[in-house]
Coordinates of all heavy atoms in Angstrom, one line a residue:
M198 N 308.3 118.3 114.2 CA 308.2 117.2 115.1 C 307.8 117.7 116.5 O 308.4 118.7 116.9 CB 309.4 116.3 115.1 CG 309.8 115.8 113.7 SD 311.3 114.8 113.8 CE 310.7 113.2 114.1
I199 N 307.0 117.0 117.2 CA 306.7 117.3 118.5 C 307.7 116.8 119.5 O 308.1 117.4 120.4 CB 305.3 116.8 118.9 CG1 304.2 117.5 118.0 CG2 304.9 117.0 120.3 CD1 302.8 117.0 118.1
E200 N 308.2 115.5 119.3 CA 309.2 114.9 120.1 C 310.3 114.3 119.3 O 310.0 113.8 118.2 CB 308.5 113.8 120.9 CG 307.5 114.3 122.0 CD 307.0 113.1 122.8 OE1 307.6 112.1 122.9 OE2 305.9 113.3 123.4
V201 N 311.5 114.4 119.8 CA 312.6 113.9 119.1 C 313.5 113.1 120.1 O 313.8 113.6 121.2 CB 313.5 115.0 118.4 CG1 314.7 114.4 117.8 CG2 312.7 115.8 117.4
S202 N 313.9 111.9 119.8 CA 314.7 111.1 120.7 C 316.1 111.7 120.7 O 316.7 112.0 119.6 CB 314.8 109.7 120.2 OG 313.5 109.1 120.3
T203 N 316.7 111.9 121.8 CA 318.1 112.4 121.9 C 318.9 111.6 123.0 O 318.3 110.9 123.8 CB 318.1 113.9 122.3 OG1 317.5 114.0 123.6 CG2 317.3 114.7 121.4
I204 N 320.2 111.8 122.9 CA 321.1 111.3 123.9 C 321.9 112.4 124.4 O 322.5 113.1 123.6 CB 322.0 110.2 123.3 CG1 321.2 109.0 122.8 CG2 323.0 109.7 124.3 CD1 322.0 108.0 122.0
C205 N 321.8 112.7 125.7 CA 322.5 113.8 126.3 C 324.0 113.4 126.5 O 324.3 112.4 127.1 CB 321.8 114.2 127.6 SG 322.6 115.6 128.4
I206 N 324.9 114.2 126.0 CA 326.3 114.0 126.2 C 327.0 115.1 126.8 O 328.2 115.2 126.8 CB 327.0 113.6 124.8 CG1 326.8 114.7 123.8 CG2 326.4 112.3 124.3 CD1 327.6 114.5 122.5
D207 N 326.3 116.0 127.5 CA 326.8 117.1 128.2 C 327.9 116.7 129.2 O 328.8 117.5 129.5 CB 325.8 117.9 128.9 CG 324.8 118.7 128.0 OD1 325.1 118.7 126.8 OD2 323.8 119.2 128.5
H208 N 327.7 115.6 129.8 CA 328.7 115.1 130.9 C 330.0 114.6 130.3 O 330.9 114.3 131.1 CB 328.0 114.1 131.7 CG 327.6 112.8 131.0 ND1 326.6 112.8 130.1 CD2 328.2 111.6 131.0 CE1 326.5 111.5 129.6 NE2 327.5 110.8 130.1
L209 N 330.1 114.4 129.0 CA 331.3 113.8 128.4 C 332.3 114.9 128.1 O 332.0 116.1 127.8 CB 330.9 113.1 127.1 CG 330.0 111.9 127.1 CD1 329.7 111.4 125.7 CD2 330.5 110.9 128.1
S210 N 333.5 114.5 128.2 CA 334.6 115.5 127.9 C 334.7 115.6 126.3 O 334.0 114.8 125.6 CB 336.0 114.9 128.4 OG 336.3 113.8 127.6
E211 N 335.5 116.5 125.9 CA 335.6 116.7 124.4 C 336.1 115.5 123.7 O 335.6 115.1 122.7 CB 336.6 117.9 124.1 CG 336.8 118.2 122.7 CD 335.6 118.6 121.9 OE1 334.6 119.1 122.5 OE2 335.6 118.4 120.6
A212 N 337.1 114.8 124.4 CA 337.6 113.6 123.8 C 336.6 112.5 123.8 O 336.5 111.7 122.8 CB 338.9 113.1 124.6
Q213 N 335.8 112.4 124.8 CA 334.8 111.4 124.9 C 333.7 111.6 123.9 O 333.1 110.7 123.3 CB 334.2 111.3 126.3 CG 335.1 110.8 127.4 CD 334.5 110.9 128.8 OE1 333.9 111.9 129.1 NE2 334.8 109.9 129.6
R214 N 333.3 112.9 123.7 CA 332.3 113.2 122.6 C 332.8 112.8 121.3 O 332.1 112.3 120.5 CB 332.0 114.7 122.7 CG 331.2 115.2 123.8 CD 330.9 116.7 123.7 NE 330.4 117.1 125.0 CZ 330.7 118.3 125.5 NH1 331.5 119.2 124.9 NH2 330.2 118.6 126.7
R215 N 334.1 113.1 121.0 CA 334.6 112.8 119.7 C 334.7 111.3 119.5 O 334.4 110.7 118.4 CB 336.0 113.4 119.5 CG 335.8 115.0 119.4 CD 337.2 115.7 119.5 NE 337.8 115.6 118.2 CZ 339.0 116.2 118.0 NH1 339.6 116.9 118.9 NH2 339.5 116.1 116.8
A216 N 335.1 110.6 120.6 CA 335.1 109.1 120.5 C 333.7 108.5 120.3 O 333.5 107.6 119.6 CB 335.8 108.5 121.8
Y217 N 332.7 109.1 121.0 CA 331.4 108.7 120.9 C 330.9 108.9 119.4 O 330.2 108.0 118.9 CB 330.4 109.5 121.8 CG 329.0 109.1 121.6 CD1 328.4 107.9 122.1 CD2 328.2 109.9 120.8 CE1 327.1 107.6 121.9 CE2 326.8 109.6 120.6 CZ 326.3 108.4 121.1 OH 325.0 108.1 120.9
A218 N 331.2 110.0 118.8 CA 330.8 110.2 117.4 C 331.4 109.2 116.5 O 330.7 108.7 115.6 CB 331.2 111.6 117.0
I219 N 332.7 108.9 116.7 CA 333.3 107.8 115.9 C 332.6 106.5 116.1 O 332.3 105.7 115.2 CB 334.8 107.8 116.2 CG1 335.5 109.0 115.7 CG2 335.5 106.5 115.6 CD1 336.9 109.2 116.2
A220 N 332.4 106.1 117.4 CA 331.8 104.8 117.7 C 330.4 104.7 117.1 O 330.0 103.7 116.6 CB 331.8 104.7 119.2
A221 N 329.6 105.8 117.2 CA 328.2 105.8 116.7 C 328.3 105.5 115.2 O 327.4 104.8 114.6 CB 327.5 107.1 117.0
N222 N 329.2 106.2 114.5 CA 329.3 105.9 113.0 C 329.8 104.5 112.7 O 329.4 103.9 111.8 CB 330.2 107.0 112.4 CG 329.5 108.3 112.3 OD1 328.5 108.4 111.5 ND2 329.9 109.3 113.0
R223 N 330.7 104.0 113.6 CA 331.2 102.7 113.3 C 330.1 101.7 113.5 O 330.1 100.7 112.8 CB 332.4 102.4 114.3 CG 333.0 101.1 114.2 CD 333.8 101.0 112.9 NE 334.5 99.7 112.9 CZ 334.9 99.1 111.8 NH1 334.7 99.6 110.6 NH2 335.6 98.0 111.9
L224 N 329.3 101.8 114.5 CA 328.2 100.9 114.8 C 327.3 100.8 113.5 O 326.9 99.8 113.1 CB 327.4 101.3 116.0 CG 328.0 101.0 117.3 CD1 327.2 101.6 118.5 CD2 328.2 99.5 117.5
A225 N 327.0 102.0 113.0 CA 326.1 102.1 111.8 C 326.8 101.4 110.6 O 326.2 100.7 109.9 CB 325.8 103.5 111.5
E226 N 328.1 101.5 110.5 CA 328.9 100.9 109.4 C 328.9 99.4 109.5 O 328.8 98.7 108.5 CB 330.3 101.4 109.5 CG 331.3 100.8 108.5 CD 332.7 101.3 108.7 OE1 332.9 102.5 108.8 OE2 333.6 100.5 108.8
L227 N 328.9 98.9 110.8 CA 329.0 97.4 111.0 C 327.6 96.8 111.1 O 327.5 95.6 111.2 CB 329.7 97.1 112.3 CG 331.2 97.6 112.3 CD1 331.8 97.3 113.7 CD2 332.0 96.8 111.2
S228 N 326.6 97.6 111.1 CA 325.2 97.0 111.2 C 324.7 96.4 109.9 O 325.3 96.6 108.9 CB 324.2 98.1 111.6 OG 324.0 99.0 110.6
G229 N 323.7 95.7 110.0 CA 323.0 95.1 108.9 C 321.5 95.2 109.0 O 321.0 95.7 110.0
W230 N 320.8 94.7 108.0 CA 319.4 94.7 108.0 C 318.8 93.3 108.1 O 319.4 92.4 107.5 CB 318.9 95.4 106.7 CG 319.2 96.8 106.6 CD1 320.2 97.4 105.9 CD2 318.6 97.9 107.3 NE1 320.2 98.7 106.0 CE2 319.2 99.1 106.9 CE3 317.5 98.0 108.1 CZ2 318.8 100.3 107.3 CZ3 317.1 99.3 108.6 CH2 317.8 100.4 108.1
D231 N 317.7 93.2 108.7 CA 316.9 92.0 108.6 C 316.1 92.2 107.4 O 315.1 93.0 107.4 CB 316.1 91.8 109.8 CG 315.1 90.6 109.7 OD1 314.7 90.2 108.6 OD2 314.8 90.0 110.8
D232 N 316.5 91.7 106.2 CA 315.9 92.1 104.9 C 314.4 91.8 104.9 O 313.6 92.6 104.4 CB 316.6 91.3 103.8 CG 318.0 91.8 103.6 OD1 318.3 93.0 103.9 OD2 318.9 91.0 103.2
A233 N 314.0 90.7 105.5 CA 312.6 90.3 105.5 C 311.8 91.4 106.3 O 310.7 91.8 105.9 CB 312.3 88.9 106.0
L234 N 312.3 91.7 107.5 CA 311.6 92.7 108.3 C 311.6 94.1 107.7 O 310.6 94.8 107.7 CB 312.3 92.8 109.7 CG 311.6 93.7 110.7 CD1 310.1 93.3 110.9 CD2 312.4 93.6 112.0
L235 N 312.7 94.5 107.1 CA 312.8 95.8 106.4 C 311.8 95.8 105.2 O 311.1 96.8 105.1 CB 314.2 96.0 105.8 CG 314.5 97.3 105.1 CD1 314.2 98.5 105.9 CD2 315.9 97.3 104.5
R236 N 311.7 94.7 104.5 CA 310.7 94.7 103.4 C 309.3 94.9 103.9 O 308.5 95.6 103.3 CB 310.9 93.3 102.6 CG 309.9 93.2 101.5 CD 310.0 91.8 100.8 NE 311.3 91.6 100.2 CZ 312.3 90.8 100.8 NH1 312.0 90.1 101.8 NH2 313.4 90.7 100.2
L237 N 309.0 94.2 105.0 CA 307.7 94.3 105.6 C 307.4 95.7 106.1 O 306.3 96.2 105.8 CB 307.6 93.3 106.8 CG 306.3 93.3 107.6 CD1 305.2 92.7 106.7 CD2 306.4 92.4 108.8
E238 N 308.3 96.3 106.8 CA 308.1 97.6 107.4 C 308.0 98.6 106.3 O 307.0 99.5 106.3 CB 309.3 98.0 108.3 CG 309.3 97.3 109.6 CD 308.1 97.6 110.5 OE1 307.6 98.7 110.5 OE2 307.7 96.7 111.3
L239 N 308.8 98.6 105.3 CA 308.7 99.6 104.2 C 307.5 99.4 103.4 O 306.8 100.4 103.0 CB 310.0 99.5 103.3 CG 311.3 100.1 103.9 CD1 312.4 99.8 102.9 CD2 311.2 101.5 104.2
G240 N 307.1 98.2 103.2 CA 305.9 97.9 102.5 C 304.6 98.4 103.2 O 303.7 99.0 102.6
E241 N 304.6 98.2 104.5 CA 303.5 98.7 105.3 C 303.5 100.3 105.4 O 302.4 100.9 105.3 CB 303.5 98.1 106.7 CG 303.1 96.7 106.7 CD 303.1 96.0 108.1 OE1 303.3 96.8 109.1 OE2 302.9 94.8 108.1
L242 N 304.7 100.9 105.5 CA 304.7 102.3 105.5 C 304.3 102.9 104.2 O 303.7 104.0 104.2 CB 306.2 102.8 105.8 CG 306.6 102.8 107.3 CD1 308.1 103.1 107.4 CD2 305.8 103.7 108.1
A243 N 304.6 102.2 103.1 CA 304.3 102.8 101.8 C 302.8 102.9 101.6 O 302.3 103.7 100.8 CB 304.9 101.9 100.7
V244 N 302.0 102.0 102.2 CA 300.5 102.0 102.0 C 299.8 102.8 103.1 O 298.6 103.0 102.9 CB 299.9 100.6 101.9 CG1 300.5 99.9 100.7 CG2 300.2 99.8 103.2
L245 N 300.4 103.2 104.2 CA 299.8 104.0 105.2 C 299.6 105.4 104.7 O 300.3 106.0 104.0 CB 300.6 104.0 106.5 CG 300.7 102.7 107.2 CD1 301.6 102.9 108.4 CD2 299.3 102.3 107.7
D246 N 298.5 106.0 105.2 CA 298.2 107.5 104.9 C 298.9 108.3 106.0 O 298.3 108.5 107.1 CB 296.7 107.7 104.9 CG 296.4 109.1 104.5 OD1 297.2 109.8 103.9 OD2 295.3 109.6 104.9
L247 N 300.1 108.7 105.8 CA 300.9 109.4 106.8 C 301.2 110.8 106.3 O 301.1 111.2 105.2 CB 302.2 108.7 107.0 CG 302.1 107.2 107.4 CD1 303.5 106.5 107.4 CD2 301.5 107.1 108.8
D248 N 301.5 111.6 107.3 CA 301.8 113.0 107.1 C 303.3 113.3 106.8 O 303.8 114.4 107.0 CB 301.4 113.9 108.3 CG 299.9 114.0 108.4 OD1 299.2 113.8 107.4 OD2 299.5 114.3 109.5
F249 N 304.0 112.3 106.3 CA 305.4 112.5 105.9 C 305.7 111.6 104.7 O 304.9 110.7 104.3 CB 306.4 112.1 107.0 CG 306.4 110.6 107.3 CD1 307.4 109.8 106.7 CD2 305.5 110.0 108.2 CE1 307.5 108.5 107.0 CE2 305.6 108.7 108.5 CZ 306.6 107.9 107.9
T250 N 306.7 111.9 104.0 CA 307.1 111.1 102.9 C 308.0 110.0 103.3 O 308.8 110.1 104.2 CB 307.9 111.9 101.8 OG1 309.1 112.5 102.4 CG2 307.0 113.1 101.3
I251 N 307.8 108.8 102.7 CA 308.5 107.6 103.2 C 310.0 107.8 103.0 O 310.8 107.1 103.7 CB 308.0 106.4 102.4 CG1 308.5 105.1 103.1 CG2 308.3 106.4 100.9 CD1 307.8 103.8 102.6
E252 N 310.5 108.6 102.1 CA 311.9 108.8 101.9 C 312.6 109.3 103.2 O 313.8 109.2 103.3 CB 312.2 109.8 100.8 CG 311.8 109.2 99.4 CD 310.3 109.3 99.1 OE1 309.6 109.9 99.8 OE2 309.9 108.7 98.1
L253 N 311.8 109.8 104.1 CA 312.4 110.3 105.4 C 313.0 109.1 106.2 O 313.7 109.3 107.2 CB 311.4 111.0 106.3 CG 311.0 112.4 105.7 CD1 309.9 113.0 106.6 CD2 312.2 113.3 105.7
A254 N 312.7 107.9 105.8 CA 313.2 106.7 106.4 C 314.7 106.5 106.0 O 315.3 105.6 106.5 CB 312.4 105.4 106.1
G255 N 315.2 107.3 105.1 CA 316.6 107.2 104.7 C 316.8 106.5 103.4 O 318.0 106.2 103.0
F256 N 315.8 106.1 102.7 CA 315.9 105.4 101.4 C 315.3 106.2 100.3 O 314.2 106.8 100.5 CB 315.2 104.0 101.5 CG 315.9 103.0 102.4 CD1 315.5 103.0 103.8 CD2 316.9 102.2 102.0 CE1 316.1 102.1 104.7 CE2 317.5 101.3 102.9 CZ 317.1 101.3 104.2
A257 N 315.9 106.2 99.1 CA 315.3 106.8 98.0 C 314.1 106.0 97.5 O 314.0 104.8 97.8 CB 316.3 107.0 96.9
T258 N 313.2 106.6 96.8 CA 312.0 105.9 96.3 C 312.4 104.6 95.5 O 311.8 103.6 95.7 CB 311.1 106.8 95.4 OG1 310.8 108.0 96.2 CG2 309.9 106.1 94.9
A259 N 313.4 104.7 94.6 CA 313.8 103.6 93.8 C 314.3 102.4 94.8 O 314.1 101.3 94.5 CB 314.9 104.0 92.8
E260 N 315.0 102.8 95.8 CA 315.5 101.8 96.7 C 314.4 101.1 97.5 O 314.4 99.9 97.6 CB 316.5 102.4 97.8 CG 317.8 102.9 97.3 CD 318.6 103.6 98.3 OE1 318.0 104.6 98.9 OE2 319.7 103.2 98.6
I261 N 313.4 101.9 97.9 CA 312.3 101.3 98.6 C 311.5 100.4 97.7 O 311.2 99.2 98.1 CB 311.3 102.5 99.1 CG1 312.0 103.3 100.2 CG2 310.0 101.9 99.6 CD1 311.3 104.6 100.5
E262 N 311.3 100.8 96.4 CA 310.6 99.9 95.5 C 311.4 98.6 95.3 O 310.8 97.5 95.2 CB 310.4 100.6 94.2 CG 309.4 101.7 94.2 CD 309.3 102.5 93.0 OE1 310.0 102.3 92.0 OE2 308.4 103.4 92.9
A263 N 312.7 98.7 95.1 CA 313.5 97.5 94.9 C 313.5 96.6 96.1 O 313.4 95.4 96.0 CB 315.0 97.9 94.6
I264 N 313.5 97.1 97.3 CA 313.4 96.3 98.5 C 312.0 95.7 98.7 O 311.9 94.5 98.9 CB 313.7 97.2 99.8 CG1 315.2 97.6 99.8 CG2 313.4 96.4 101.1 CD1 315.5 98.7 100.8
V265 N 311.0 96.4 98.5 CA 309.6 95.9 98.7 C 309.3 94.9 97.6 O 308.6 93.9 97.9 CB 308.6 97.1 98.7 CG1 307.2 96.6 98.7 CG2 308.9 98.0 100.0
L266 N 309.7 95.2 96.4 CA 309.3 94.3 95.3 C 310.3 93.1 95.1 O 310.0 92.3 94.2 CB 309.2 95.1 94.0 CG 308.1 96.2 94.0 CD1 308.2 97.0 92.7 CD2 306.8 95.7 94.3
A267 N 311.4 93.1 95.8 CA 312.4 92.0 95.6 C 311.8 90.7 96.1 O 310.9 90.7 97.0 CB 313.6 92.3 96.5
P268 N 312.2 89.6 95.4 CA 311.7 88.3 95.8 C 312.1 88.0 97.3 O 313.2 88.5 97.7 CB 312.3 87.3 94.9 CG 313.4 88.1 94.2 CD 313.1 89.5 94.3
A269 N 311.3 87.4 98.0 CA 311.7 87.1 99.4 C 312.9 86.2 99.5 O 313.1 85.3 98.7 CB 310.5 86.3 100.1
L270 N 313.8 86.6 100.4 CA 315.1 85.9 100.5 C 314.8 84.5 101.0 O 315.7 83.6 100.8 CB 316.0 86.6 101.4 CG 316.4 88.0 100.9 CD1 317.3 88.7 102.0 CD2 317.2 87.9 99.6
D271 N 313.7 84.2 101.7 CA 313.5 82.9 102.3 C 312.8 82.0 101.3 O 312.5 80.9 101.5 CB 312.7 83.0 103.6 CG 311.4 83.8 103.4 OD1 311.2 84.4 102.4 OD2 310.6 83.7 104.4
A272 N 312.5 82.6 100.1 CA 311.8 81.7 99.1 C 312.9 80.8 98.5 O 314.0 81.1 98.3 CB 311.3 82.6 97.9
P273 N 312.5 79.5 98.3 CA 313.5 78.6 97.8 C 313.9 78.9 96.4 O 313.2 79.4 95.6 CB 312.7 77.2 97.8 CG 311.3 77.6 97.8 CD 311.2 78.9 98.4
D274 N 315.2 78.6 96.1 CA 315.8 78.8 94.8 C 315.1 77.7 93.9 O 315.1 76.5 94.3 CB 317.3 78.6 94.8 CG 317.9 78.8 93.5 OD1 317.3 78.6 92.4 OD2 319.1 79.1 93.5
P275 N 314.5 78.1 92.8 CA 313.9 77.1 91.9 C 314.8 75.9 91.6 O 314.3 74.8 91.4 CB 313.5 77.9 90.7 CG 313.4 79.3 91.1 CD 314.4 79.4 92.2
A276 N 316.1 76.1 91.5 CA 317.0 75.1 91.2 C 317.2 74.1 92.3 O 317.6 72.9 92.1 CB 318.4 75.7 90.8
D277 N 316.8 74.5 93.5 CA 316.9 73.6 94.7 C 315.6 72.8 95.0 O 315.6 72.0 95.9 CB 317.3 74.4 95.9 CG 318.7 74.9 95.8 OD1 319.5 74.3 95.1 OD2 319.0 75.9 96.5
V278 N 314.6 73.1 94.2 CA 313.3 72.5 94.5 C 313.3 71.1 93.9 O 313.6 70.9 92.8 CB 312.1 73.3 93.9 CG1 310.8 72.6 94.1 CG2 312.0 74.7 94.6
V279 N 313.0 70.1 94.8 CA 313.0 68.7 94.3 C 311.6 68.4 93.8 O 310.6 68.6 94.5 CB 313.3 67.7 95.5 CG1 313.2 66.3 95.1 CG2 314.7 68.1 96.1
P280 N 311.5 67.9 92.6 CA 310.1 67.6 92.1 C 309.4 66.5 92.8 O 310.1 65.6 93.4 CB 310.4 67.2 90.6 CG 311.8 66.9 90.5 CD 312.5 67.6 91.6
E281 N 308.1 66.6 92.9 CA 307.4 65.5 93.6 C 307.5 64.2 92.8 O 307.6 64.2 91.6 CB 305.9 65.9 93.7 CG 305.6 67.0 94.6 CD 304.2 67.3 94.8 OE1 303.4 66.3 94.8 OE2 303.8 68.4 95.0
L282 N 307.6 63.1 93.6 CA 307.7 61.8 92.9 C 306.4 61.5 92.2 O 305.3 61.8 92.7 CB 308.0 60.8 94.0 CG 309.4 60.9 94.7 CD1 309.5 59.9 95.8 CD2 310.5 60.8 93.7
S283 N 306.5 60.8 91.1 CA 305.4 60.4 90.4 C 304.6 59.3 91.1 O 305.2 58.5 91.8 CB 305.8 59.9 89.0 OG 304.8 59.3 88.3
A284 N 303.3 59.3 90.9 CA 302.5 58.2 91.5 C 302.5 57.0 90.6 O 301.9 56.0 91.0 CB 301.0 58.7 91.6
M285 N 303.2 57.0 89.5 CA 303.3 55.9 88.6 C 304.2 54.8 89.3 O 305.1 55.1 90.1 CB 304.0 56.3 87.3 CG 303.2 57.4 86.6 SD 302.7 57.2 85.0 CE 303.3 55.8 84.3
P286 N 303.9 53.5 89.0 CA 304.7 52.4 89.6 C 306.2 52.5 89.1 O 306.5 52.9 88.1 CB 304.0 51.2 89.1 CG 303.2 51.6 87.9 CD 302.9 53.0 88.1
S287 N 307.0 52.0 90.0 CA 308.5 51.9 89.7 C 308.7 50.9 88.6 O 308.1 49.9 88.5 CB 309.2 51.5 90.9 OG 310.6 51.3 90.6
V288 N 309.7 51.2 87.7 CA 310.1 50.3 86.6 C 311.3 49.5 87.0 O 311.8 48.7 86.3 CB 310.3 51.1 85.3 CG1 309.0 51.7 84.8 CG2 311.4 52.1 85.5
V289 N 311.8 49.7 88.2 CA 312.9 49.0 88.7 C 312.5 48.2 90.0 O 311.8 48.8 90.8 CB 314.1 49.9 89.1 CG1 315.3 49.1 89.7 CG2 314.5 50.7 87.9
D290 N 312.8 47.0 90.0 CA 312.4 46.2 91.2 C 313.7 45.9 92.0 O 314.8 45.9 91.5 CB 311.8 44.8 90.7 CG 310.5 45.0 90.0 OD1 309.7 45.9 90.5 OD2 310.2 44.3 89.1
L291 N 313.4 45.6 93.3 CA 314.5 45.3 94.2 C 315.3 44.1 93.7 O 314.7 43.1 93.2 CB 313.9 45.0 95.6 CG 314.9 44.7 96.7 CD1 315.8 46.0 96.9 CD2 314.2 44.4 98.0
G292 N 316.6 44.2 93.6 CA 317.4 43.1 93.1 C 317.8 43.3 91.6 O 318.7 42.6 91.1
D293 N 317.2 44.2 90.9 CA 317.6 44.5 89.5 C 319.0 45.1 89.6 O 319.4 45.8 90.5 CB 316.6 45.5 88.9 CG 315.3 44.9 88.5 OD1 315.2 43.7 88.6 OD2 314.4 45.7 88.1
C294 N 319.7 44.8 88.5 CA 321.1 45.2 88.5 C 321.4 45.8 87.1 O 321.0 45.3 86.1 CB 322.0 44.0 88.8 SG 323.8 44.5 88.8
C295 N 322.1 46.9 87.1 CA 322.5 47.5 85.9 C 324.0 47.1 85.6 O 324.8 47.1 86.4 CB 322.4 49.1 86.0 SG 320.8 49.6 86.2
H296 N 324.3 46.9 84.3 CA 325.7 46.5 83.9 C 326.3 47.6 83.2 O 325.9 48.3 82.4 CB 325.7 45.2 83.1 CG 325.2 44.1 83.9 ND1 325.9 43.5 84.8 CD2 324.0 43.4 83.9 CE1 325.2 42.5 85.3 NE2 324.0 42.4 84.8

């Protein structure tokens, strides 16, 4: 790599460095993914001609495939889809009563 992002912690005391390491790991533990955005990014990375393997993103090939090929989370559940109303005339008229 030509450039690497870093955070300088030389000014921190030993206790502050240790607390920072714990906090950084805790943040990662509490984080989440925007699944739709992750699917999009991994899908685009998978098709680019890059000089690195996509697994360097921190996911195994099987995980990447499962994420990219998973059905979109924003897709409606088929059980929740309301069928379109028929263009056929109604067989019930206003005022009809069932007993």
Side-chain angles (χ1 to χ4, degrees):
M198 299 179 94
I199 296 171
E200 293 183 19
V201 177
S202 297
T203 62
I204 298 174
C205 183
I206 59 171
D207 290 352
H208 63 286
L209 299 179
S210 69
E211 178 65 23
Q213 290 172 323
R214 287 184 194 141
R215 293 170 77 174
Y217 174 80
I219 292 169
N222 283 296
R223 181 69 172 156
L224 284 174
E226 178 183 309
L227 296 174
S228 70
W230 294 101
D231 177 329
D232 293 329
L234 184 57
L235 179 61
R236 179 181 302 106
L237 177 68
E238 288 294 329
L239 288 175
E241 289 180 4
L242 280 174
V244 297
L245 290 176
D246 183 22
L247 302 172
D248 289 338
F249 71 93
T250 60
I251 193 168
E252 290 80 9
L253 291 176
F256 293 89
T258 303
E260 290 175 305
I261 294 169
E262 289 174 358
I264 292 166
V265 171
L266 299 176
L270 297 178
D271 55 349
D274 183 334
D277 293 334
V278 175
V279 178
E281 290 188 34
L282 296 176
S283 171
M285 305 235 350
S287 173
V288 293
V289 178
D290 292 322
L291 185 60
D293 285 353
C294 183
C295 296
H296 297 283

